Amino acid sequence: MHPFRTPSLRRAAVALALTLVASGSAVSATTASTSGGRSAAGTAERAWFTSWAQSQQDLAPTPLRDQSVRMITRLSQGGGALRIRIQNTFGQTPLTVDAATVGRSGRDDAGSGAGPAVSGAVRTVTFDGRREVVVPPGGEVWSDAAALRTRAQDDVAVSLSVSGTVTPGRHSNAFRTNYLTPPGSGDHTADTSGSAYTQTVDSTYLVSAVDVRNPAVKGTIVAFGSSVVDGTGSTDCGAGCTPDGTDHRWTDGVARRIAAELPRTRQLAVANAGIAGTTSSAACPRTPAGVRGLDAATRLDRDVLGLHGVTGVLYYYGTNDLANGCDAAQILDSYREVFQRLRAAGVKVYVTPITSRPGYTDRNNLDRHAVGTHVKKRNSCDGTCDGVTDFDQVLKDPLKPNSINPAYDTGDGIHANVAGQRALADFVPLPMLLSSTTAR
């Protein structure tokens, strides 16, 4: 049995809960699209939703030199077409992509040293009708639509050929293997075979989002936070254990539950905007240099509002704020700023109280309690957010409430293992997420 498969009894409970959601909960396509970072432009545009994302955070340690990359993206929802976002956010020089394709990813040949094949058709991706695109330093580009039919939980291979020598932007922790051809090997984007992709990386290069066109989807839910969102711990199933496959983050579990439990005409996409080590507040004095400038407010437009069809955000931030010297007042100030901007954009906000961490000082725990009390006030952050997902109650050790339950602990006292990720995924109320598609 798949570790995230939901019993029929829980499906029935969700169906019952959905009947209690307001009758207008099936949002119009207009609402779903315009709540994201771009205005809708006709019915076709309003059917686009971001189905996968990984936020860029820095530059790769080694430049690309006239070679191709094949990045594997797991879609939370499928559709009749897709498009991709390429970013050069941290680049110092222009990025030239001279060819791009998408295709459903097949399995790689274990032990062969080759990357994954493409199953079925390889679709050429264009940018304003052209195969080549130049992304300036600090810039980004969305592709044209590519007619590739996909389903929820499909793996899509995004293959890009990069000309010249350029250091690519990346998301450091892909929590799966991605692939490169050797330097100087040129364009292999049209290859259905993975034989040319002989080098591997644990990061995601260049591509930071994939949209699908699907009018049955009612909105995109973005999980926004630090390593507890990014997925640290999701590859740890205990001593001597190897996880079955990939994509065991709690956000992946929520996406699987949505596909299995919500009605076909009331589906939601899920995008992950976690970056390990980041903080909600920009004011924390001990924030490491490598993540400065990646606080929640600074990256909100790029990593959340710049996606499409966003109706709700799961906000899970604060653990690093306390560890890096912020107090409750600074954290709550940052919450209020971000929540106000999200709600002004028509996006509902669901907040997780700061979860346990045994390394916190007494002062840290007092601040954690103060933040949690505010978040839980009226179950709406005292009117500044739209709901609470109390992951602290799921993860905390019942005997030592300032620590994680040992059954869910990776061993560092901070991050949830595969069992903990599953518990978090099971805890998220899907009717609450679906309510993000209704007017406030």
Side-chain angles (χ1 to χ4, degrees):
M1 178 178 289
H2 194 286
F4 286 101
R5 184 167 292 168
T6 306
S8 59
L9 185 61
R10 189 170 67 195
R11 286 197 296 270
V14 169
L16 178 62
L18 287 173
T19 66
L20 303 178
V21 177
S23 60
S25 61
V27 68
S28 70
T30 301
T31 303
S33 182
T34 57
S35 63
R38 297 187 175 200
S39 297
T43 302
E45 176 66 20
R46 291 193 296 267
W48 287 99
F49 298 88
T50 299
S51 184
W52 171 93
Q54 284 194 331
S55 304
Q56 286 206 348
Q57 64 191 94
D58 60 12
L59 294 173
T62 304
L64 298 173
R65 296 183 174 90
D66 293 309
Q67 61 194 115
S68 299
V69 306
R70 181 163 284 179
M71 303 288 114
I72 311 302
T73 63
R74 171 67 59 89
L75 300 183
S76 58
Q77 292 288 341
L82 55 76
R83 60 190 182 191
I84 64 173
R85 179 172 73 171
I86 299 172
Q87 288 184 306
N88 194 21
T89 304
F90 301 97
Q92 303 300 310
T93 59
L95 165 69
T96 299
V97 174
D98 54 22
T101 65
V102 291
R104 293 175 63 178
S105 177
R107 291 186 177 274
D108 57 335
D109 185 4
S112 71
V118 172
S119 175
V122 175
R123 302 296 187 191
T124 298
V125 174
T126 59
F127 304 87
D128 197 22
R130 302 179 182 89
R131 291 194 64 187
E132 179 181 292
V133 66
V134 178
V135 187
E140 67 174 50
V141 63
W142 283 90
S143 75
D144 303 328
L148 180 70
R149 184 166 295 279
T150 55
R151 298 171 296 181
Q153 306 306 309
D154 273 354
D155 282 342
V156 169
V158 179
S159 303
L160 308 172
S161 173
V162 175
S163 292
T165 298
V166 65
T167 303
R170 66 169 181 172
H171 182 85
S172 294
N173 300 315
F175 296 107
R176 69 182 311 144
T177 303
N178 285 312
Y179 303 88
L180 315 176
T181 62
S185 58
D187 179 9
H188 286 273
T189 58
D191 293 8
T192 56
S193 166
S195 60
Y197 292 87
T198 57
Q199 299 183 1
T200 61
V201 291
D202 295 326
S203 302
T204 301
Y205 287 3
L206 302 175
V207 58
S208 62
V210 177
D211 284 0
V212 296
R213 187 170 62 203
N214 186 342
V217 173
K218 301 306 175 186
T220 293
I221 304 297
V222 180
F224 191 37
S226 56
S227 58
V228 290
V229 171
D230 198 1
T232 301
S234 64
T235 58
D236 182 349
C237 56
C241 170
T242 300
D244 180 17
T246 59
D247 304 286
H248 294 297
R249 301 171 300 177
W250 63 269
T251 53
D252 301 317
V254 170
R256 283 188 281 269
R257 284 190 56 213
I258 288 170
E261 297 175 42
L262 290 184
R264 183 172 297 179
T265 57
R266 300 170 76 183
Q267 289 285 301
L268 298 165
V270 178
N272 189 303
I275 296 180
T278 56
T279 58
S280 179
S281 174
C284 304
R286 296 194 298 272
T287 297
V291 291
R292 286 180 195 151
L294 293 175
D295 56 276
T298 299
R299 67 187 190 94
L300 183 66
D301 285 339
R302 180 174 71 240
D303 294 343
V304 179
L305 296 176
L307 305 178
H308 292 101
V310 179
T311 56
V313 165
L314 289 164
Y315 196 86
Y316 190 176
Y317 253 129
T319 58
N320 293 325
D321 295 69
L322 293 176
N324 291 328
C326 267
D327 60 22
Q330 292 168 308
I331 295 169
L332 290 174
D333 282 346
S334 71
Y335 281 16
R336 292 185 188 98
E337 177 188 354
V338 172
F339 300 170
Q340 182 179 26
R341 288 169 59 188
L342 286 168
R343 297 178 95 192
V347 177
K348 293 188 178 181
V349 188
Y350 308 107
V351 183
T352 291
I354 301 173
T355 47
S356 307
R357 195 162 175 166
Y360 288 151
T361 64
D362 289 345
R363 179 70 259 171
N364 289 154
N365 278 318
L366 287 171
D367 286 324
R368 185 170 81 91
H369 178 74
V371 173
T373 299
H374 174 83
V375 167
K376 295 176 189 178
K377 190 173 182 180
R378 303 177 189 170
N379 208 41
S380 67
C381 312
D382 199 19
T384 63
C385 70
D386 299 278
V388 178
T389 52
D390 198 349
F391 285 174
D392 189 43
Q393 295 301 311
V394 179
L395 294 180
K396 73 179 183 181
D397 185 339
L399 299 178
K400 299 177 181 178
N402 289 327
S403 299
I404 293 180
N405 187 326
Y408 296 154
D409 190 356
T410 60
D412 65 6
I414 302 169
H415 300 104
N417 59 20
V418 170
Q421 303 280 337
R422 187 183 306 123
L424 294 177
D426 286 344
F427 183 78
V428 175
L430 300 191
M432 179 191 74
L433 300 186
L434 193 58
S435 73
S436 73
T437 66
T438 64
R440 188 173 290 108

